[in-house]
């Protein structure tokens, strides 16, 4: 959409005539660059410092801020008004307020409206409405705020992994954590671990059941750090949960299944299997 409606844009002969807050449009001679942004100021090198940069050829959001270096063959325009001084401001706001995604994201509606009034100007919004081109506003907005078709998909398995890694690496001075885990019996699945600190396994399981990354645990036990702060991390591990095993009667071979899985995930750490609840003790019924 490289064409300029000169009824709402005016040609700018010199960037010195710009005022902070102007919505500007730079179009290169060959039309390859067609950028719109809010002008902030000129820097020491003469580049234009801008906010909320849009690519009007692609109809996409580019960056929250940046620099535009004008070439001698570029054409520079600015909107005839801004939301600060346009008599059409309220009418433009009314058009934008009917956008469904604005209603769906009421928690960030103030930020979205601020973006509208920074990146565009009222007469342009009304013109885009008239020509059935409001997508030139709504698609960049979705990109800017990662909503709608550009909503980021959460990798819940990574969230779980990061939480467990953080809990494990935070252990020091002989501290321990309780864990529950899925230990696969084949090579088609990966082991999964979860912990909420030192809570009993049945409580840990209740929390896991409420998580988006819920899995069905097969094992549970304790992991305790036994290395000093300046040494390679070394942990002792048992699988002595009553909830997901046989408690103090758990064999060391069962714990080995867990330590083998941990070693696969954390090859730089050392994990030593122990029978029963020997990584922690028998004083609690886990």
């Amino acid at each position: 959409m490289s064409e300029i409606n000169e009824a709402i844009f005016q040609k700018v002969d010199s960037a010195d005539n710009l005022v902070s807050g102007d919505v500007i449009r730079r179009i290169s001679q060959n039309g390859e660059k067609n950028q719109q942004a809010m002008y902030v100021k000129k820097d020491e090198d003469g580049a234009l410092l801008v906010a909320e940069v849009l690519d009007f050829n692609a109809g996409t959001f580019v960056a929250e801020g940046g620099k535009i270096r004008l070439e001698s063959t570029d054409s520079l325009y600015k909107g005839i008004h801004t939301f600060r001084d346009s008599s059409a401001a309220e009418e433009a706001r009314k058009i934008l307020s009917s956008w469904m995604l604005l209603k769906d994201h009421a928690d960030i509606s103030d930020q979205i409206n601020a973006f509208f009034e920074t990146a565009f100007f009222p007469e342009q919004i009304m013109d885009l409405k008239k020509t059935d081109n409001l997508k030139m506003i709504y698609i960049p907005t979705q990109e800017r705020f990662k909503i709608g078709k550009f909503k980021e998909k959460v990798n819940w398995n990574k969230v779980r992994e990061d939480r467990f890694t953080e809990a494990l690496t935070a252990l020091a001075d002989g501290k321990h954590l309780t864990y529950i885990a899925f230990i696969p019996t084949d090579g088609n699945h990966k082991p999964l671990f979860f912990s909420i600190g030192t809570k009993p396994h049945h409580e840990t399981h209740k929390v896991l059941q409420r998580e988006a990354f819920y899995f069905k645990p097969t094992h549970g036990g304790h992991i305790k750090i036994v290395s000093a702060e300046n040494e390679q991390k070394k942990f002792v591990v048992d699988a002595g949960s009553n909830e997901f095993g046989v408690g103090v009667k758990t064999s060391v071979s069962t714990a080995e299944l867990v330590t083998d899985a941990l070693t696969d995930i954390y090859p730089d750490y050392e994990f030593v299997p122990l029978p029963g609840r020997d990584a922690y003790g028998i004083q609690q019924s886990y």
Side-chain angles (χ1 to χ4, degrees):
M1 191 173 179
S2 59
E3 66 276 5
I4 280 285
N5 182 346
E6 295 190 359
I8 60 173
F9 280 95
Q10 60 185 14
K11 189 79 178 288
V12 177
D13 296 324
S14 171
D16 293 333
N17 297 326
L18 294 173
V19 175
S20 179
D22 282 342
V23 176
I24 64 171
R25 188 87 158 264
R26 182 266 287 273
I27 301 178
S28 62
Q29 188 176 37
N30 59 11
E32 288 184 1
K33 292 180 180 178
N34 182 10
Q35 299 162 317
Q36 180 164 309
M38 186 199 78
Y39 173 71
V40 179
K41 65 178 182 178
K42 287 175 73 173
D43 71 4
E44 318 81 58
D45 300 325
L48 309 186
L49 300 181
V50 295
E52 309 297 6
V53 186
L54 311 176
D55 180 338
F56 252 70
N57 280 339
T60 58
F61 174 76
V62 177
E64 293 180 40
K67 292 183 180 183
I68 291 179
R69 297 188 183 277
L70 295 173
E71 303 290 336
S72 60
T73 54
D74 289 344
S75 295
L76 182 64
Y77 301 85
K78 73 172 184 177
I80 57 173
H81 292 291
T82 68
F83 271 88
R84 297 193 305 268
D85 58 21
S86 174
S87 60
E90 288 308 312
E91 188 173 351
R93 289 187 181 109
K94 186 176 179 180
I95 291 171
L96 298 172
S97 67
S98 65
W99 188 38
M100 186 59 67
L101 282 182
L102 185 66
K103 298 176 182 178
D104 290 345
H105 294 276
D107 56 324
I108 58 169
S109 61
D110 287 347
Q111 295 163 257
I112 293 174
N113 282 321
F115 172 74
F116 287 154
E117 298 191 15
T118 299
F120 304 93
F121 58 98
E123 290 78 9
Q124 182 182 30
I125 291 166
M126 294 170 64
D127 183 60
L128 291 171
K129 167 73 172 176
K130 181 180 178 181
T131 58
D132 197 25
N133 268 309
L134 285 175
K135 65 181 180 181
M136 300 300 291
I137 299 173
Y138 296 146
I139 290 176
T141 304
Q142 291 177 68
E143 291 178 302
R144 170 70 168 79
F145 293 97
K146 297 180 174 59
I147 59 176
K149 64 186 293 187
F150 295 97
K151 183 178 180 180
E152 288 184 322
K153 294 182 180 179
V154 178
N155 184 340
W156 289 112
N157 194 50
K158 187 177 186 306
V159 171
R160 179 196 55 76
E161 286 179 356
D162 289 347
R163 285 190 198 172
F164 186 78
T165 298
E166 183 178 354
L168 185 67
T169 55
L171 291 178
D173 301 324
K175 300 293 185 182
H176 84 285
L177 59 77
T178 60
Y179 73 87
I180 54 180
F182 165 73
I183 307 299
T185 56
D186 56 53
N188 298 324
H189 299 86
K190 293 182 178 181
L192 309 172
F193 286 84
F194 178 72
S195 175
I196 54 170
T198 58
K199 296 293 185 182
H201 294 96
H202 68 275
E203 290 186 28
T204 305
H205 187 217
K206 286 181 181 178
V207 173
L208 175 62
Q209 287 176 314
R210 297 195 294 267
E211 296 285 1
F213 47 71
Y214 174 72
F215 60 86
K216 188 174 182 179
T218 58
H219 294 71
H222 312 84
I223 303 174
K224 183 167 86 172
I225 191 164
V226 293
S227 55
E229 186 176 349
N230 59 347
E231 297 177 337
Q232 178 190 13
K233 285 189 179 291
K234 180 178 180 179
F235 305 88
V236 291
V237 181
D238 69 45
S241 166
N242 286 337
E243 185 86 4
F244 301 102
V246 290
V248 294
K249 297 180 180 179
T250 303
S251 67
V252 70
S253 61
T254 300
E256 284 176 347
L257 296 174
V258 177
T259 56
D260 286 348
L262 286 166
T263 300
D264 285 343
I265 301 171
Y266 306 103
D268 295 333
Y269 299 162
E270 182 179 357
F271 299 95
V272 179
L274 297 178
R277 293 198 193 103
D278 286 4
Y280 180 64
I282 62 171
Q283 55 267 52
Q284 292 190 6
S285 253
Y286 285 171

